[in-house]
Amino acid sequence: MNPLFPDQYYEFVVGFAVFFVTLFVVGKVLVPRLQKTLTERADAIDGAIARAAEAQAEVRDLVAALSSA
């Protein structure tokens, strides 16, 4: 039983069939879920960065107001 050159042709056919079914499932089910999750995470990170920038600007304004007073 050589995996590169199977004794029977059906082993080769079954192997290709299983490979393509797995490829189809990964492409149609798993990849879209991963893309959705990564997009949601990127949006959450972008929102957190924007909130942090707003907080920094507010702190700068407060520091400037306190130092000028």
Side-chain angles (χ1 to χ4, degrees), residues 24-48:
F24 178 78
V25 169
V26 168
K28 293 294 181 180
V29 176
L30 295 179
V31 171
R33 288 182 185 178
L34 287 172
Q35 287 178 337
K36 178 183 172 193
T37 301
L38 291 175
T39 302
E40 289 172 355
R41 289 181 67 188
D43 292 343
I45 290 169
D46 290 341

Side-chain angles (χ1 to χ4, degrees), residues 49-64:
I49 290 172
R51 287 191 306 273
E54 290 173 5
Q56 283 181 341
E58 183 179 342
V59 168
R60 278 192 208 109
D61 292 343
L62 289 173
V63 168

